[in-house]
Amino acid sequence: MSQSREIAVSKSGIPIYAIVLLAAIFAFGLFVVGYDQGHIFSIVMGESAFDEMFIHELTHDMRHAAGFPCH
Ligand SMILES: [Zn+2]
């Protein structure tokens, strides 16, 4: 009488590319909320983006609430 045993090992890890992608999104969001002074819009608007600072004004309250230095 032969007996076979089956051991099922299920591995469900988080794929590394998901961690890298989420880290990149987090870093971009952190830059937008905490550090942007017109850098992102300067890609399309040029120098005037640093005077207008649209993203800075948009995220100003969030920036203060999160404790980032601003002014
Ligand atoms: Zn401020």
Side-chain angles (χ1 to χ4, degrees):
M1 179 179 163
S2 69
Q3 193 176 13
S4 66
R5 305 178 102 192
E6 185 177 316
I7 300 170
V9 178
S10 64
K11 266 177 78 176
S12 63
I14 300 169
I16 191 74
Y17 65 84
I19 294 172
V20 170
L21 183 69
L22 287 173
I25 292 170
F26 173 78
F28 182 73
L30 189 71
F31 177 80
V32 167
V33 171
Y35 299 102
D36 184 80
Q37 303 281 5
H39 300 92
I40 291 172
F41 279 175
S42 71
I43 295 168
V44 288
M45 288 174 62
E47 284 294 318
S48 66
F50 293 104
D51 299 325
E52 304 283 353
M53 292 203 297
F54 284 123
I55 292 179
H56 179 102
E57 299 300 333
L58 183 72
T59 62
H60 199 160
D61 291 345
M62 202 188 320
R63 205 176 279 213
H64 279 274
F68 286 103
C70 169
H71 55 86

Short mmCIF file of all heavy atoms in Angstrom, two decimals:
data_model
loop_
_atom_site.label_atom_id
_atom_site.label_comp_id
_atom_site.label_asym_id
_atom_site.label_seq_id
_atom_site.Cartn_x
_atom_site.Cartn_y
_atom_site.Cartn_z
N MET A 1 0.84 -1.19 0.00
CA MET A 1 0.00 0.00 0.00
C MET A 1 0.88 1.24 0.00
O MET A 1 1.71 1.44 0.88
CB MET A 1 -0.89 -0.03 1.25
CG MET A 1 -1.79 1.16 1.36
SD MET A 1 -2.81 1.02 2.85
CE MET A 1 -3.34 2.67 2.99
N SER A 2 0.72 2.02 -1.06
CA SER A 2 1.52 3.24 -1.14
C SER A 2 0.69 4.43 -0.67
O SER A 2 -0.50 4.52 -0.98
CB SER A 2 2.01 3.47 -2.57
OG SER A 2 0.93 3.78 -3.39
N GLN A 3 1.35 5.27 0.02
CA GLN A 3 0.66 6.43 0.55
C GLN A 3 1.43 7.68 0.14
O GLN A 3 2.64 7.76 0.32
CB GLN A 3 0.59 6.33 2.07
CG GLN A 3 -0.37 7.31 2.69
CD GLN A 3 -0.48 7.10 4.19
OE1 GLN A 3 0.33 6.39 4.79
NE2 GLN A 3 -1.46 7.69 4.80
N SER A 4 0.72 8.60 -0.44
CA SER A 4 1.38 9.85 -0.81
C SER A 4 0.80 10.99 0.00
O SER A 4 -0.40 11.07 0.21
CB SER A 4 1.22 10.13 -2.31
OG SER A 4 -0.13 10.38 -2.60
N ARG A 5 1.69 11.83 0.44
CA ARG A 5 1.25 12.98 1.22
C ARG A 5 1.51 14.24 0.40
O ARG A 5 2.52 14.34 -0.27
CB ARG A 5 2.00 13.06 2.55
CG ARG A 5 1.89 11.79 3.35
CD ARG A 5 2.69 11.90 4.62
NE ARG A 5 1.79 12.17 5.73
CZ ARG A 5 2.20 12.53 6.94
NH1 ARG A 5 3.48 12.72 7.17
NH2 ARG A 5 1.35 12.74 7.91
N GLU A 6 0.60 15.12 0.51
CA GLU A 6 0.75 16.38 -0.24
C GLU A 6 0.77 17.55 0.74
O GLU A 6 -0.11 17.67 1.59
CB GLU A 6 -0.40 16.55 -1.22
CG GLU A 6 -0.25 17.76 -2.13
CD GLU A 6 -1.40 17.83 -3.13
OE1 GLU A 6 -1.76 16.79 -3.70
OE2 GLU A 6 -1.93 18.93 -3.32
N ILE A 7 1.77 18.32 0.62
CA ILE A 7 1.87 19.50 1.46
C ILE A 7 1.76 20.73 0.57
O ILE A 7 2.57 20.93 -0.33
CB ILE A 7 3.22 19.54 2.22
CG1 ILE A 7 3.34 18.29 3.12
CG2 ILE A 7 3.31 20.81 3.05
CD1 ILE A 7 4.70 18.13 3.72
N ALA A 8 0.73 21.48 0.79
CA ALA A 8 0.52 22.68 -0.02
C ALA A 8 1.07 23.89 0.73
O ALA A 8 0.66 24.19 1.84
CB ALA A 8 -0.96 22.88 -0.31
N VAL A 9 2.02 24.56 0.10
CA VAL A 9 2.59 25.77 0.67
C VAL A 9 2.16 26.95 -0.20
O VAL A 9 2.52 27.03 -1.36
CB VAL A 9 4.13 25.70 0.73
CG1 VAL A 9 4.69 27.00 1.28
CG2 VAL A 9 4.58 24.52 1.57
N SER A 10 1.35 27.79 0.36
CA SER A 10 0.92 28.95 -0.41
C SER A 10 1.69 30.19 0.06
O SER A 10 1.68 30.53 1.23
CB SER A 10 -0.58 29.17 -0.26
OG SER A 10 -0.89 29.48 1.08
N LYS A 11 2.37 30.80 -0.87
CA LYS A 11 3.11 32.02 -0.56
C LYS A 11 2.40 33.19 -1.20
O LYS A 11 2.21 33.21 -2.40
CB LYS A 11 4.54 31.93 -1.12
CG LYS A 11 5.55 31.42 -0.12
CD LYS A 11 6.91 31.28 -0.75
CE LYS A 11 7.60 32.61 -0.87
NZ LYS A 11 8.98 32.47 -1.40
N SER A 12 1.98 34.12 -0.41
CA SER A 12 1.38 35.31 -0.98
C SER A 12 2.11 36.52 -0.42
O SER A 12 1.73 37.10 0.58
CB SER A 12 -0.11 35.38 -0.65
OG SER A 12 -0.29 35.48 0.73
N GLY A 13 3.19 36.84 -1.08
CA GLY A 13 3.96 38.01 -0.66
C GLY A 13 3.55 39.21 -1.46
O GLY A 13 2.84 39.10 -2.47
N ILE A 14 3.97 40.36 -1.01
CA ILE A 14 3.72 41.59 -1.76
C ILE A 14 4.82 41.72 -2.82
O ILE A 14 6.00 41.68 -2.48
CB ILE A 14 3.73 42.81 -0.82
CG1 ILE A 14 2.66 42.66 0.24
CG2 ILE A 14 3.52 44.09 -1.62
CD1 ILE A 14 2.74 43.66 1.36
N PRO A 15 4.43 41.84 -4.08
CA PRO A 15 5.46 41.92 -5.12
C PRO A 15 6.31 43.18 -4.97
O PRO A 15 5.81 44.24 -4.57
CB PRO A 15 4.66 41.94 -6.43
CG PRO A 15 3.25 42.18 -6.03
CD PRO A 15 3.08 41.80 -4.61
N ILE A 16 7.57 43.06 -5.29
CA ILE A 16 8.52 44.14 -5.07
C ILE A 16 8.19 45.35 -5.94
O ILE A 16 8.37 46.49 -5.53
CB ILE A 16 9.97 43.66 -5.31
CG1 ILE A 16 10.98 44.69 -4.82
CG2 ILE A 16 10.22 43.33 -6.77
CD1 ILE A 16 11.11 44.77 -3.31
N TYR A 17 7.66 45.09 -7.16
CA TYR A 17 7.36 46.24 -8.03
C TYR A 17 6.21 47.08 -7.47
O TYR A 17 6.15 48.29 -7.69
CB TYR A 17 7.04 45.78 -9.46
CG TYR A 17 5.78 44.95 -9.61
CD1 TYR A 17 4.54 45.56 -9.74
CD2 TYR A 17 5.86 43.56 -9.62
CE1 TYR A 17 3.39 44.80 -9.86
CE2 TYR A 17 4.72 42.80 -9.74
CZ TYR A 17 3.49 43.42 -9.86
OH TYR A 17 2.35 42.68 -9.98
N ALA A 18 5.31 46.42 -6.69
CA ALA A 18 4.22 47.19 -6.07
C ALA A 18 4.77 48.12 -5.00
O ALA A 18 4.34 49.26 -4.87
CB ALA A 18 3.20 46.23 -5.47
N ILE A 19 5.75 47.62 -4.25
CA ILE A 19 6.36 48.45 -3.21
C ILE A 19 7.12 49.62 -3.83
O ILE A 19 7.02 50.76 -3.38
CB ILE A 19 7.28 47.58 -2.33
CG1 ILE A 19 6.46 46.56 -1.56
CG2 ILE A 19 8.08 48.47 -1.37
CD1 ILE A 19 7.27 45.54 -0.81
N VAL A 20 7.84 49.32 -4.91
CA VAL A 20 8.60 50.38 -5.59
C VAL A 20 7.65 51.42 -6.17
O VAL A 20 7.88 52.63 -6.05
CB VAL A 20 9.50 49.77 -6.69
CG1 VAL A 20 10.11 50.86 -7.55
CG2 VAL A 20 10.59 48.92 -6.07
N LEU A 21 6.56 50.95 -6.78
CA LEU A 21 5.59 51.88 -7.38
C LEU A 21 4.94 52.76 -6.32
O LEU A 21 4.83 53.98 -6.48
CB LEU A 21 4.53 51.08 -8.15
CG LEU A 21 3.48 51.91 -8.90
CD1 LEU A 21 4.14 52.61 -10.08
CD2 LEU A 21 2.35 51.03 -9.37
N LEU A 22 4.52 52.14 -5.21
CA LEU A 22 3.89 52.91 -4.14
C LEU A 22 4.88 53.88 -3.49
O LEU A 22 4.50 54.99 -3.13
CB LEU A 22 3.31 51.96 -3.08
CG LEU A 22 2.04 51.22 -3.51
CD1 LEU A 22 1.67 50.19 -2.46
CD2 LEU A 22 0.90 52.19 -3.70
N ALA A 23 6.14 53.47 -3.37
CA ALA A 23 7.16 54.36 -2.81
C ALA A 23 7.37 55.56 -3.72
O ALA A 23 7.54 56.69 -3.24
CB ALA A 23 8.46 53.60 -2.60
N ALA A 24 7.34 55.33 -5.04
CA ALA A 24 7.52 56.43 -5.99
C ALA A 24 6.34 57.39 -5.92
O ALA A 24 6.52 58.62 -5.93
CB ALA A 24 7.67 55.88 -7.41
N ILE A 25 5.11 56.84 -5.83
CA ILE A 25 3.92 57.69 -5.71
C ILE A 25 3.97 58.48 -4.41
O ILE A 25 3.65 59.67 -4.38
CB ILE A 25 2.64 56.83 -5.81
CG1 ILE A 25 2.49 56.26 -7.21
CG2 ILE A 25 1.41 57.65 -5.44
CD1 ILE A 25 1.41 55.21 -7.33
N PHE A 26 4.39 57.82 -3.33
CA PHE A 26 4.50 58.50 -2.04
C PHE A 26 5.52 59.63 -2.10
O PHE A 26 5.25 60.74 -1.60
CB PHE A 26 4.88 57.49 -0.96
CG PHE A 26 5.17 58.13 0.37
CD1 PHE A 26 4.13 58.53 1.20
CD2 PHE A 26 6.47 58.33 0.79
CE1 PHE A 26 4.39 59.12 2.42
CE2 PHE A 26 6.74 58.92 2.01
CZ PHE A 26 5.70 59.33 2.82
N ALA A 27 6.66 59.36 -2.71
CA ALA A 27 7.71 60.38 -2.79
C ALA A 27 7.23 61.58 -3.61
O ALA A 27 7.47 62.73 -3.25
CB ALA A 27 8.97 59.79 -3.41
N PHE A 28 6.54 61.29 -4.72
CA PHE A 28 6.01 62.38 -5.55
C PHE A 28 4.97 63.19 -4.77
O PHE A 28 4.99 64.43 -4.80
CB PHE A 28 5.40 61.80 -6.83
CG PHE A 28 4.87 62.84 -7.76
CD1 PHE A 28 5.73 63.64 -8.48
CD2 PHE A 28 3.50 63.03 -7.89
CE1 PHE A 28 5.24 64.62 -9.33
CE2 PHE A 28 3.00 64.00 -8.74
CZ PHE A 28 3.87 64.79 -9.46
N GLY A 29 4.08 62.49 -4.06
CA GLY A 29 3.07 63.20 -3.28
C GLY A 29 3.67 64.01 -2.16
O GLY A 29 3.23 65.13 -1.89
N LEU A 30 4.70 63.47 -1.53
CA LEU A 30 5.39 64.20 -0.47
C LEU A 30 6.03 65.47 -1.02
O LEU A 30 5.98 66.53 -0.39
CB LEU A 30 6.45 63.30 0.16
CG LEU A 30 7.11 63.82 1.43
CD1 LEU A 30 6.13 63.78 2.58
CD2 LEU A 30 8.34 63.00 1.75
N PHE A 31 6.60 65.37 -2.22
CA PHE A 31 7.22 66.54 -2.83
C PHE A 31 6.16 67.59 -3.17
O PHE A 31 6.35 68.78 -2.91
CB PHE A 31 7.98 66.13 -4.10
CG PHE A 31 8.59 67.29 -4.82
CD1 PHE A 31 9.77 67.85 -4.38
CD2 PHE A 31 7.96 67.83 -5.93
CE1 PHE A 31 10.34 68.94 -5.03
CE2 PHE A 31 8.52 68.92 -6.59
CZ PHE A 31 9.70 69.47 -6.14
N VAL A 32 5.03 67.14 -3.75
CA VAL A 32 3.97 68.06 -4.14
C VAL A 32 3.43 68.79 -2.92
O VAL A 32 3.27 70.01 -2.92
CB VAL A 32 2.84 67.32 -4.88
CG1 VAL A 32 1.60 68.19 -5.00
CG2 VAL A 32 3.31 66.89 -6.25
N VAL A 33 3.15 68.04 -1.86
CA VAL A 33 2.53 68.65 -0.68
C VAL A 33 3.55 69.46 0.12
O VAL A 33 3.24 70.54 0.62
CB VAL A 33 1.89 67.56 0.20
CG1 VAL A 33 1.43 68.14 1.52
CG2 VAL A 33 0.72 66.91 -0.52
N GLY A 34 4.76 68.95 0.26
CA GLY A 34 5.67 69.53 1.22
C GLY A 34 6.73 70.46 0.68
O GLY A 34 7.21 71.32 1.40
N TYR A 35 7.12 70.31 -0.59
CA TYR A 35 8.32 71.02 -1.03
C TYR A 35 8.19 71.81 -2.32
O TYR A 35 9.06 72.61 -2.63
CB TYR A 35 9.48 70.02 -1.17
CG TYR A 35 9.82 69.33 0.12
CD1 TYR A 35 9.40 68.03 0.37
CD2 TYR A 35 10.54 70.00 1.10
CE1 TYR A 35 9.69 67.41 1.57
CE2 TYR A 35 10.84 69.39 2.31
CZ TYR A 35 10.42 68.09 2.53
OH TYR A 35 10.69 67.48 3.72
N ASP A 36 7.13 71.58 -3.08
CA ASP A 36 7.06 72.23 -4.39
C ASP A 36 6.87 73.74 -4.24
O ASP A 36 6.01 74.19 -3.49
CB ASP A 36 5.91 71.65 -5.21
CG ASP A 36 5.89 72.24 -6.60
OD1 ASP A 36 6.68 71.78 -7.43
OD2 ASP A 36 5.11 73.18 -6.84
N GLN A 37 7.70 74.50 -4.91
CA GLN A 37 7.57 75.96 -4.93
C GLN A 37 7.40 76.43 -6.37
O GLN A 37 7.91 77.48 -6.76
CB GLN A 37 8.81 76.63 -4.33
CG GLN A 37 9.13 76.20 -2.92
CD GLN A 37 8.26 76.88 -1.89
OE1 GLN A 37 7.34 77.61 -2.23
NE2 GLN A 37 8.52 76.62 -0.63
N GLY A 38 6.70 75.64 -7.17
CA GLY A 38 6.52 75.98 -8.57
C GLY A 38 7.35 75.14 -9.51
O GLY A 38 7.35 75.38 -10.71
N HIS A 39 8.08 74.16 -8.96
CA HIS A 39 8.99 73.37 -9.79
C HIS A 39 8.24 72.55 -10.83
O HIS A 39 8.67 72.46 -11.98
CB HIS A 39 9.81 72.44 -8.92
CG HIS A 39 10.66 73.16 -7.92
ND1 HIS A 39 10.21 73.42 -6.64
CD2 HIS A 39 11.88 73.70 -8.01
CE1 HIS A 39 11.16 74.07 -5.98
NE2 HIS A 39 12.17 74.27 -6.78
N ILE A 40 7.12 71.94 -10.42
CA ILE A 40 6.42 71.03 -11.34
C ILE A 40 5.79 71.81 -12.48
O ILE A 40 5.94 71.43 -13.64
CB ILE A 40 5.37 70.22 -10.56
CG1 ILE A 40 6.08 69.23 -9.62
CG2 ILE A 40 4.47 69.44 -11.52
CD1 ILE A 40 5.18 68.51 -8.68
N PHE A 41 5.10 72.91 -12.18
CA PHE A 41 4.47 73.68 -13.25
C PHE A 41 5.48 74.44 -14.08
O PHE A 41 5.18 74.86 -15.20
CB PHE A 41 3.43 74.64 -12.68
CG PHE A 41 2.11 73.99 -12.38
CD1 PHE A 41 1.09 74.69 -11.75
CD2 PHE A 41 1.86 72.67 -12.73
CE1 PHE A 41 -0.13 74.09 -11.46
CE2 PHE A 41 0.65 72.06 -12.46
CZ PHE A 41 -0.35 72.78 -11.82
N SER A 42 6.70 74.61 -13.57
CA SER A 42 7.71 75.31 -14.36
C SER A 42 8.10 74.50 -15.59
O SER A 42 8.66 75.06 -16.53
CB SER A 42 8.95 75.57 -13.51
OG SER A 42 9.65 74.37 -13.25
N ILE A 43 7.79 73.22 -15.59
CA ILE A 43 8.07 72.40 -16.77
C ILE A 43 7.28 72.92 -17.97
O ILE A 43 7.80 72.96 -19.08
CB ILE A 43 7.71 70.92 -16.49
CG1 ILE A 43 8.62 70.36 -15.39
CG2 ILE A 43 7.82 70.07 -17.75
CD1 ILE A 43 8.16 69.03 -14.83
N VAL A 44 6.02 73.33 -17.72
CA VAL A 44 5.20 73.82 -18.83
C VAL A 44 5.07 75.34 -18.83
O VAL A 44 4.87 75.94 -19.89
CB VAL A 44 3.79 73.17 -18.80
CG1 VAL A 44 3.87 71.71 -19.20
CG2 VAL A 44 3.16 73.32 -17.43
N MET A 45 5.20 75.99 -17.66
CA MET A 45 4.97 77.44 -17.59
C MET A 45 6.25 78.25 -17.65
O MET A 45 6.21 79.46 -17.86
CB MET A 45 4.22 77.79 -16.30
CG MET A 45 2.77 77.35 -16.29
SD MET A 45 2.00 77.64 -14.67
CE MET A 45 2.13 79.40 -14.53
N GLY A 46 7.37 77.63 -17.37
CA GLY A 46 8.62 78.36 -17.37
C GLY A 46 8.81 79.11 -16.06
O GLY A 46 8.30 78.71 -15.02
N GLU A 47 9.55 80.22 -16.12
CA GLU A 47 9.95 80.95 -14.92
C GLU A 47 8.76 81.50 -14.14
O GLU A 47 8.82 81.66 -12.92
CB GLU A 47 10.89 82.11 -15.29
CG GLU A 47 12.30 81.66 -15.62
CD GLU A 47 13.02 81.08 -14.40
OE1 GLU A 47 12.89 81.66 -13.32
OE2 GLU A 47 13.68 80.05 -14.56
N SER A 48 7.65 81.84 -14.83
CA SER A 48 6.52 82.47 -14.14
C SER A 48 5.89 81.54 -13.12
O SER A 48 5.21 82.01 -12.21
CB SER A 48 5.47 82.90 -15.16
OG SER A 48 4.90 81.78 -15.80
N ALA A 49 6.12 80.23 -13.24
CA ALA A 49 5.55 79.28 -12.28
C ALA A 49 6.11 79.51 -10.88
O ALA A 49 5.42 79.30 -9.89
CB ALA A 49 5.82 77.85 -12.73
N PHE A 50 7.35 79.98 -10.79
CA PHE A 50 7.96 80.21 -9.48
C PHE A 50 7.37 81.44 -8.80
O PHE A 50 7.44 81.59 -7.59
CB PHE A 50 9.49 80.35 -9.62
CG PHE A 50 10.16 79.08 -10.04
CD1 PHE A 50 10.60 78.90 -11.33
CD2 PHE A 50 10.33 78.04 -9.13
CE1 PHE A 50 11.22 77.73 -11.73
CE2 PHE A 50 10.94 76.85 -9.52
CZ PHE A 50 11.38 76.69 -10.82
N ASP A 51 6.81 82.36 -9.60
CA ASP A 51 6.13 83.52 -9.02
C ASP A 51 4.70 83.18 -8.64
O ASP A 51 4.19 83.64 -7.62
CB ASP A 51 6.14 84.68 -10.03
CG ASP A 51 7.56 85.10 -10.36
OD1 ASP A 51 8.41 85.04 -9.46
OD2 ASP A 51 7.81 85.49 -11.52
N GLU A 52 4.02 82.39 -9.49
CA GLU A 52 2.61 82.06 -9.24
C GLU A 52 2.47 81.06 -8.09
O GLU A 52 1.61 81.22 -7.23
CB GLU A 52 1.98 81.47 -10.50
CG GLU A 52 2.09 82.37 -11.73
CD GLU A 52 1.09 83.52 -11.71
OE1 GLU A 52 0.25 83.53 -10.80
OE2 GLU A 52 1.18 84.38 -12.60
N MET A 53 3.30 80.00 -8.08
CA MET A 53 3.29 78.94 -7.06
C MET A 53 1.89 78.38 -6.83
O MET A 53 1.36 78.41 -5.71
CB MET A 53 3.88 79.45 -5.74
CG MET A 53 5.35 79.75 -5.83
SD MET A 53 6.20 79.73 -4.26
CE MET A 53 5.41 81.06 -3.39
N PHE A 54 1.28 77.87 -7.91
CA PHE A 54 -0.09 77.35 -7.81
C PHE A 54 -0.19 76.20 -6.83
O PHE A 54 -1.09 76.17 -5.98
CB PHE A 54 -0.58 76.90 -9.19
CG PHE A 54 -0.97 78.04 -10.09
CD1 PHE A 54 -0.37 78.20 -11.32
CD2 PHE A 54 -1.94 78.95 -9.70
CE1 PHE A 54 -0.72 79.26 -12.15
CE2 PHE A 54 -2.29 80.01 -10.52
CZ PHE A 54 -1.67 80.16 -11.75
N ILE A 55 0.73 75.23 -6.93
CA ILE A 55 0.64 74.05 -6.07
C ILE A 55 0.92 74.43 -4.62
O ILE A 55 0.30 73.91 -3.70
CB ILE A 55 1.61 72.95 -6.56
CG1 ILE A 55 1.13 72.41 -7.90
CG2 ILE A 55 1.70 71.81 -5.54
CD1 ILE A 55 2.02 71.35 -8.50
N HIS A 56 1.81 75.39 -4.42
CA HIS A 56 2.08 75.86 -3.06
C HIS A 56 0.82 76.45 -2.43
O HIS A 56 0.48 76.15 -1.30
CB HIS A 56 3.20 76.91 -3.09
CG HIS A 56 3.52 77.47 -1.74
ND1 HIS A 56 4.63 77.08 -1.02
CD2 HIS A 56 2.88 78.39 -0.98
CE1 HIS A 56 4.64 77.73 0.12
NE2 HIS A 56 3.60 78.53 0.19
N GLU A 57 0.12 77.29 -3.20
CA GLU A 57 -1.10 77.89 -2.68
C GLU A 57 -2.18 76.84 -2.46
O GLU A 57 -2.93 76.91 -1.49
CB GLU A 57 -1.61 78.97 -3.65
CG GLU A 57 -0.63 80.11 -3.87
CD GLU A 57 -0.30 80.86 -2.59
OE1 GLU A 57 -1.14 80.87 -1.68
OE2 GLU A 57 0.80 81.42 -2.50
N LEU A 58 -2.24 75.86 -3.39
CA LEU A 58 -3.26 74.81 -3.28
C LEU A 58 -3.05 73.96 -2.03
O LEU A 58 -4.00 73.62 -1.33
CB LEU A 58 -3.21 73.92 -4.53
CG LEU A 58 -4.26 72.82 -4.63
CD1 LEU A 58 -5.63 73.42 -4.90
CD2 LEU A 58 -3.89 71.82 -5.70
N THR A 59 -1.81 73.62 -1.73
CA THR A 59 -1.53 72.71 -0.62
C THR A 59 -1.08 73.45 0.63
O THR A 59 -0.56 72.83 1.55
CB THR A 59 -0.43 71.71 -1.03
OG1 THR A 59 0.78 72.43 -1.33
CG2 THR A 59 -0.83 70.89 -2.23
N HIS A 60 -1.29 74.77 0.68
CA HIS A 60 -0.74 75.58 1.76
C HIS A 60 -1.24 75.14 3.14
O HIS A 60 -0.45 74.93 4.05
CB HIS A 60 -1.08 77.05 1.50
CG HIS A 60 -0.20 77.98 2.27
ND1 HIS A 60 -0.04 79.29 1.94
CD2 HIS A 60 0.55 77.79 3.36
CE1 HIS A 60 0.79 79.85 2.78
NE2 HIS A 60 1.16 78.98 3.66
N ASP A 61 -2.54 74.98 3.27
CA ASP A 61 -3.10 74.61 4.56
C ASP A 61 -2.67 73.21 4.96
O ASP A 61 -2.36 72.95 6.12
CB ASP A 61 -4.63 74.70 4.53
CG ASP A 61 -5.10 76.15 4.42
OD1 ASP A 61 -4.27 77.04 4.66
OD2 ASP A 61 -6.27 76.37 4.11
N MET A 62 -2.65 72.30 3.97
CA MET A 62 -2.21 70.93 4.24
C MET A 62 -0.74 70.93 4.68
O MET A 62 -0.34 70.18 5.56
CB MET A 62 -2.37 70.10 2.96
CG MET A 62 -2.47 68.62 3.20
SD MET A 62 -2.43 67.65 1.69
CE MET A 62 -3.41 68.60 0.56
N ARG A 63 0.04 71.80 4.07
CA ARG A 63 1.45 71.91 4.41
C ARG A 63 1.65 72.35 5.86
O ARG A 63 2.46 71.81 6.58
CB ARG A 63 2.10 72.94 3.45
CG ARG A 63 3.55 72.77 3.23
CD ARG A 63 4.04 73.76 2.21
NE ARG A 63 3.78 73.31 0.85
CZ ARG A 63 4.57 73.57 -0.17
NH1 ARG A 63 5.63 74.31 -0.01
NH2 ARG A 63 4.27 73.13 -1.37
N HIS A 64 0.85 73.33 6.27
CA HIS A 64 0.97 73.78 7.65
C HIS A 64 0.44 72.73 8.61
O HIS A 64 1.03 72.53 9.68
CB HIS A 64 0.17 75.09 7.84
CG HIS A 64 0.93 76.29 7.39
ND1 HIS A 64 1.80 76.94 8.20
CD2 HIS A 64 0.95 76.93 6.20
CE1 HIS A 64 2.32 77.96 7.53
NE2 HIS A 64 1.82 77.97 6.31
N ALA A 65 -0.65 72.07 8.25
CA ALA A 65 -1.22 71.04 9.12
C ALA A 65 -0.25 69.88 9.30
O ALA A 65 -0.20 69.26 10.36
CB ALA A 65 -2.53 70.54 8.53
N ALA A 66 0.51 69.59 8.25
CA ALA A 66 1.45 68.48 8.33
C ALA A 66 2.77 68.88 8.98
O ALA A 66 3.61 68.03 9.22
CB ALA A 66 1.72 67.91 6.92
N GLY A 67 2.95 70.17 9.24
CA GLY A 67 4.13 70.61 9.95
C GLY A 67 5.32 70.91 9.08
O GLY A 67 6.43 71.05 9.60
N PHE A 68 5.13 71.03 7.77
CA PHE A 68 6.25 71.40 6.91
C PHE A 68 6.54 72.90 7.06
O PHE A 68 5.61 73.70 7.17
CB PHE A 68 5.93 71.10 5.44
CG PHE A 68 5.98 69.65 5.11
CD1 PHE A 68 4.81 68.93 4.97
CD2 PHE A 68 7.19 69.01 4.92
CE1 PHE A 68 4.85 67.58 4.66
CE2 PHE A 68 7.23 67.67 4.61
CZ PHE A 68 6.06 66.95 4.49
N PRO A 69 7.80 73.27 7.06
CA PRO A 69 8.11 74.70 7.09
C PRO A 69 7.73 75.35 5.78
O PRO A 69 7.82 74.74 4.73
CB PRO A 69 9.64 74.73 7.28
CG PRO A 69 10.11 73.41 6.78
CD PRO A 69 9.01 72.44 7.03
N CYS A 70 7.24 76.56 5.89
CA CYS A 70 6.70 77.19 4.69
C CYS A 70 7.09 78.65 4.64
O CYS A 70 7.71 79.11 3.71
CB CYS A 70 5.19 77.02 4.71
SG CYS A 70 4.32 77.96 3.52
N HIS A 71 6.73 79.44 5.65
CA HIS A 71 7.10 80.84 5.65
C HIS A 71 7.18 81.35 7.08
O HIS A 71 6.84 80.63 8.01
CB HIS A 71 6.09 81.68 4.86
CG HIS A 71 4.69 81.52 5.34
ND1 HIS A 71 4.14 82.24 6.36
CD2 HIS A 71 3.74 80.64 4.96
CE1 HIS A 71 2.90 81.86 6.54
NE2 HIS A 71 2.62 80.87 5.73
ZN ZN B 1 2.47 78.95 4.83
#
